[in-house]
Amino acid sequence: MKRILITGAAGFLGSHLCDRFIKEGYYVIGMDNLITGRMSNLEHLMKLSNFEFYHHDVSKFIHIPGDLDFILHFASPASPIDYLKIPIQTLKVGSLGIHNCLGLAKAKKARVLIASTSEVYGDPSVHPQPESYWGNVNPVGPRGVYDEAKRFQEAMTMAYHTYHGVETRIVRIFNTYGPRMRLNDGRVLPAFIGQALRGEDLTVFGDGSQTRSFCYVDDLVEGIYRLLHSDYTDPVNIGNPSEISISQFAEEIISLTGTDQKVIYKDLPVDDPKQRKPDITLAQKVLNWKPRISRKEGLEITYSYFKTLTKEELYQKDHMNFDKYIKL
Ligand code: UDP
């Protein structure tokens, strides 16, 4: 049985990856420090004999007994309001965390896949963004802690690949959505759906003309699965090129949820990218991958999930386990 370590296992993407690798017959070791992740995302796996969980911060030395074939590094706060609250952890998990993962991979002769991001392109001046674009990132802006950690992570991963011969893969993930997102993580989709469910007005930041391209989680997981098993070591974009402005997106959520709330406009956050859309030519070529689930279909599944939340969860202001786990 192949053994895989997934960091950030209790998070949105991490937990979906655990599900996929369990389904494929792997022995899955999940790791998370539970600052932004939640055990409820993994509860259904805890009883399985081919799943185990370590409550551990990957910024610290990682010890895993036994063999390892693969490591997926997905631990990181990933929403702008999260990494504004914990900027130093965000930098540490991207830098010290990947160093530990790469060291572990070298020791175990495991293949590593790292979660990079469309944020490496910053506020892009090239549209759509191909992997060859180097980006437009403000290192000292509020998003710099995330963007630069991820850029460092790519550089470190390449260095371990070229200098130590570690097998590495890099996925650049664009906006992804689906069940298990935290309702109050600040991302636009859970924010709008939460507002609709609570009967509040939908908050569009800026004039709403900025664009994003949303990928359903199952499509992303399929792309990651294919990339891990490919022999391609340069970064690959995985995302859905179907682009939409944020104000149009608010309208879509209003018709999806049938709410009669209106849209209100708030200030645009600093360094908020004006446009974002993946060029997926490379993924199509090297992985024979493209997204299959339309936004309409994906939004319906996601809305059904959010509708199952309890009233308490719907009104909870913050799901982050700050006080319990944060020691800077
Ligand atoms: N946004 C918004 N209203 C909200 C939350 C976000 O208009 O309540 C906007 C945000 O300014 C950005 C876009 O939606 O332009 C996507 O934001 P998100 O935080 O989901 O991710 P980003 O792609 O910016 O990392």
Side-chain angles (χ1 to χ4, degrees), residues 46-279:
M46 295 303 282
K47 58 184 179 299
L48 303 179
S49 58
N50 57 331
F51 181 78
E52 64 182 304
F53 179 73
Y54 285 72
H55 182 192
H56 181 68
D57 178 352
V58 291
S59 308
K60 311 218 169 77
F61 184 85
I62 307 170
H63 174 71
I64 301 286
D67 294 338
L68 264 188
D69 301 286
F70 300 107
I71 299 172
L72 304 184
H73 184 46
F74 276 69
S76 178
S79 113
I81 64 162
D82 283 355
Y83 50 76
L84 281 178
K85 284 182 202 154
I86 44 171
I88 296 168
Q89 261 98 355
T90 304
L91 281 158
K92 281 167 77 176
V93 76
S95 53
L96 308 180
I98 191 57
H99 191 210
N100 290 334
C101 286
L102 288 163
L104 181 68
K106 182 166 153 265
K108 303 272 186 189
K109 299 190 173 27
R111 179 180 296 177
V112 186
L113 181 147
I114 66 155
S116 188
T117 168
S118 55
E119 284 283 323
V120 301
Y121 304 124
D123 188 2
S125 49
V126 170
H127 194 72
Q129 295 80 53
E131 290 82 352
S132 53
Y133 176 53
W134 290 353
N136 176 32
V137 170
N138 174 6
V140 294
R143 287 175 181 252
V145 294
Y146 183 69
D147 302 3
E148 295 297 0
K150 292 288 188 181
R151 289 169 69 97
F152 173 88
Q153 186 169 293
E154 288 196 7
M156 189 64 142
T157 300
M158 271 300 167
Y160 264 70
H161 175 65
T162 50
Y163 187 71
H164 287 309
V166 172
E167 287 190 41
T168 56
R169 307 287 181 266
I170 300 172
V171 58
R172 288 188 182 150
I173 299 171
F174 284 66
N175 293 63
T176 302
Y177 69 97
R180 302 189 194 148
M181 290 184 97
R182 276 167 36 228
L183 191 65
N184 294 311
D185 80 351
R187 304 292 190 91
V188 67
L189 180 141
F192 285 172
I193 291 187
Q195 287 160 343
L197 288 172
R198 290 187 299 264
E200 298 167 359
D201 292 334
L202 274 60
T203 51
V204 166
F205 298 162
D207 64 4
S209 65
Q210 71 273 31
T211 67
R212 294 295 184 272
S213 307
F214 298 97
C215 183
Y216 186 67
V217 62
D218 289 1
D219 280 331
L220 177 87
V221 167
E222 177 63 30
I224 290 168
Y225 190 82
R226 290 185 188 207
L227 177 61
L228 181 69
H229 295 99
S230 77
D231 55 10
Y232 196 80
T233 48
D234 283 335
V236 180
N237 288 340
I238 298 286
N240 190 324
S242 167
E243 184 184 11
I244 186 172
S245 74
I246 295 303
S247 51
Q248 270 176 290
F249 190 58
E251 293 305 327
E252 281 195 4
I253 300 291
I254 286 175
S255 62
L256 170 78
T257 56
T259 179
D260 48 14
Q261 303 312 122
K262 47 182 204 317
V263 166
I264 53 169
Y265 291 87
K266 295 206 164 179
D267 289 346
L268 190 67
V270 176
D271 293 343
D272 197 289
K274 282 181 276 307
Q275 51 183 2
R276 190 185 281 156
K277 171 181 172 171
D279 179 332

